[in-house]
């Protein structure tokens, strides 16, 4: 047996494989949420991320979220909940923050 056959292949969100979208992270997350027929309240209940922060992520108002570590964690949880690639989402947000977007101070 090799490592490939020993590792189970598991589906991610709603039986789909995670996809790596193109474009804006906020728009991609919002589109994926709508595609999954989930409300922002459903995502909040599933991820335990407050609705105001999920709305800020969709609108790309990262300055409303206190701290980079929270931004990355919330984006990762949001991406996981809607079946998007978590790594892509965090990398996209990191790039946006590196381009000069300043998060709010706690």
């Amino acid at each position: 047996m090799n490592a490939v056959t020993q590792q189970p292949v598991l589906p991610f969100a709603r039986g789909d494989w995670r996809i790596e979208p193109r474009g804006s992270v906020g728009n991609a997350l919002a589109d994926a949420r709508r595609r999954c027929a989930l409300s922002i309240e459903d995502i909040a209940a599933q991820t335990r991320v407050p609705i105001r922060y999920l709305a800020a992520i969709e609108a790309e108002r990262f300055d409303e979220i206190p701290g980079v570590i929270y931004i990355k964690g919330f984006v990762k949880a949001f991406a996981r909940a809607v079946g998007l690639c978590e790594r892509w989402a965090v990398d996209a947000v990191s790039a946006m923050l590196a381009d000069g977007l300043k998060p709010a101070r706690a």
Side-chain angles (χ1 to χ4, degrees):
M1 278 190 152
N2 62 25
V4 173
T5 59
Q6 292 175 359
Q7 296 295 325
V9 177
L10 301 174
F12 295 94
R14 302 203 182 267
D16 295 329
W17 294 101
R18 291 184 190 221
I19 59 171
E20 185 171 311
R22 296 175 190 253
S24 158
V25 67
N27 288 335
L29 289 168
D31 289 344
R33 177 181 59 77
R34 287 189 289 272
R35 193 175 54 248
C36 292
L38 296 170
S39 69
I40 205 157
E41 291 82 9
D42 295 332
I43 300 297
Q46 184 178 348
T47 62
R48 298 185 198 160
V49 175
I51 293 170
R52 68 181 180 273
Y53 294 145
L54 294 172
I57 290 168
E58 284 188 357
E60 297 182 0
R61 295 186 316 260
F62 299 110
D63 57 333
E64 296 179 13
I65 302 172
V68 174
I69 194 72
Y70 287 105
I71 294 170
K72 290 179 180 180
F74 293 164
V75 166
K76 185 176 181 179
F78 197 157
R80 183 182 313 121
V82 296
L84 293 182
C85 177
E86 297 168 25
R87 183 177 296 167
W88 172 84
V90 171
D91 288 348
V93 168
S94 296
M96 290 177 74
L97 295 173
D99 285 343
L101 183 60
K102 303 270 192 235
R105 296 285 176 208

